[in-house]
Amino acid sequence: MTDTARIDLWLWQARFFKTRALAGAFVAAGRVRLMRGGVESRPDKASRTVRPGDQLVFVLGARIVDVEILALAERRGPAAEARTLYVPLSGEG
């Protein structure tokens, strides 16, 4: 396993989106904030990479999702497995 993953792939594997295409469109629309090493950015392409320790903030439905990436996945597994990929920072996730 590598130490980075595409942001659209990670969002899909963590089960925030039903399809990878939806995750990619969400990122391309500039709707995700990425915090890495205290620096905030807005990834504009689905191919941008994330790694453990990065923080993602985005609005999904009526809730703000604020998570820290703990791990990368090799596949899109069941929901219980997906929840081990991140830790919620705002009480939700």
Side-chain angles (χ1 to χ4, degrees):
M1 188 184 323
T2 63
D3 60 344
T4 63
R6 289 174 55 114
I7 191 168
D8 65 331
L9 181 62
W10 189 88
L11 287 167
W12 174 69
Q13 290 172 332
R15 294 189 165 263
F16 288 108
F17 294 91
K18 288 188 178 200
T19 69
R20 189 169 166 187
L22 287 173
F26 192 83
V27 172
R31 298 178 66 189
V32 178
R33 284 187 303 172
L34 168 67
M35 293 284 293
R36 178 181 292 154
V39 177
E40 180 181 316
S41 65
R42 284 192 185 267
D44 57 348
K45 296 181 182 175
S47 62
R48 299 287 186 218
T49 58
V50 293
R51 60 180 61 124
D54 288 353
Q55 181 181 347
L56 299 177
V57 180
F58 53 94
V59 176
L60 197 58
R63 66 185 176 128
I64 296 175
V65 178
D66 185 2
V67 296
E68 180 180 343
I69 297 174
L70 296 178
L72 306 177
E74 293 184 20
R75 65 185 184 101
R76 186 174 197 245
E81 186 177 309
R83 285 191 296 272
T84 66
L85 301 178
Y86 61 91
V87 61
L89 298 176
S90 63
E92 293 192 45

